């Protein structure tokens, strides 16, 4: 009888801890709502399945690649300059919530596409990047990504909240 009494408290504590951890994680992921979307008439937001990032290139693979492009003018013709963020997410997920280590890894890439601009290359180093699947053709994604210069100093922040559509 004494053995049952001694095991009851640790089992109860483990159960309560597990419930709290799971419920906190769920709340963090479900707080992404479609209010306050970023207005950006020069932006394009797409995702591609069965893809992967290879540097700044999108290749065939077994993940999803999201592409955010903010063109510098309303002219989106081939070769038009833009700033963007490409990031890779495991295929088959219905949500993601990147921590700073994931953002700073090769899973997120900042791009400035302007061959004649002589811009400083910036690298994602932290912030927030999360999304949830709305349906099979659309994701809601929110980002506030800190970008650093080659010397490591934080230089800029790229922030948006958009729907991404299947490409």
């Amino acid at each position: 009888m004494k053995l049952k009494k001694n095991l009851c408290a640790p089992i109860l504590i483990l159960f309560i801890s597990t419930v709290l951890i799971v419920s906190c994680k769920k709340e963090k992921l479900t707080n992404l709502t479609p209010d306050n979307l970023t207005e950006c008439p020069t932006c394009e937001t797409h995702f591609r399945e069965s893809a992967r990032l290879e540097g700044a290139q999108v290749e065939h693979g077994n993940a999803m690649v999201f592409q955010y492009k903010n063109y510098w003018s309303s002219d989106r013709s081939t070769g038009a300059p833009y700033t963007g963020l490409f990031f890779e997410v495991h295929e088959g997920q219905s949500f993601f919530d990147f921590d700073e280590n994931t953002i700073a890894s090769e899973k997120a890439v900042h791009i400035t596409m302007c061959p004649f601009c002589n811009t400083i290359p910036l690298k994602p180093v932290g912030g927030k990047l999360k999304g949830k699947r709305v349906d099979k053709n659309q994701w809601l994604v929110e980002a506030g990504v800190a970008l650093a210069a080659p010397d490591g100093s934080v230089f800029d922040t790229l922030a948006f909240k958009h729907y991404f559509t299947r490409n």
Side-chain angles (χ1 to χ4, degrees):
M1 199 59 135
K2 195 167 193 139
L3 181 62
K4 284 185 181 181
K5 226 179 206 183
N6 290 341
L7 286 177
C8 218
I11 290 173
L12 184 60
I13 290 171
L14 178 65
F15 176 75
I16 291 172
S17 298
T18 304
V19 168
L20 287 174
I21 290 169
V22 169
S23 64
C24 288
K25 184 69 173 172
K26 188 172 186 179
E27 176 62 31
K28 184 178 178 183
L29 294 171
T30 58
N31 66 3
L32 185 58
T33 60
D35 58 334
N36 300 321
L37 294 174
T38 307
E39 290 186 34
C40 184
T42 59
C43 290
E44 286 184 7
T45 53
H46 301 286
F47 72 93
R48 184 172 140 192
E49 294 179 326
S50 299
R52 66 181 170 83
L53 275 177
E54 186 67 40
Q57 299 295 317
V58 180
E59 305 286 338
H60 182 74
N62 58 358
M64 291 183 292
V65 175
F66 290 76
Q67 297 178 325
Y68 167 83
K69 295 178 181 178
N70 185 350
Y71 288 90
W72 297 359
S73 73
S74 58
D75 175 21
R76 297 184 195 175
S77 62
T78 304
Y82 66 86
T83 302
L85 184 71
F86 294 3
F87 53 96
E88 183 180 309
V89 174
H90 293 293
E91 201 158 58
Q93 291 185 222
S94 59
F95 59 86
F96 62 87
D97 190 357
F98 285 1
D99 61 14
E100 290 198 11
N101 293 331
T102 307
I103 291 172
S105 74
E106 297 300 315
K107 299 293 181 192
V109 178
H110 178 262
I111 295 172
T112 300
M113 183 54 72
C114 183
F116 307 110
C117 294
N118 197 23
T119 60
I120 298 170
L122 301 176
K123 180 178 170 125
V125 293
K128 70 176 179 178
L129 185 56
K130 60 185 176 178
K132 72 177 181 179
R133 185 181 287 272
V134 176
D135 57 39
K136 72 177 194 165
N137 294 315
Q138 196 171 53
W139 281 76
L140 178 60
V141 177
E142 182 176 14
V145 177
L147 304 169
D151 68 0
S153 62
V154 174
F155 188 75
D156 200 2
T157 301
L158 181 62
F160 60 84
K161 188 175 190 182
H162 280 285
Y163 283 105
F164 282 64
T165 56
R166 181 185 303 275
N167 191 3

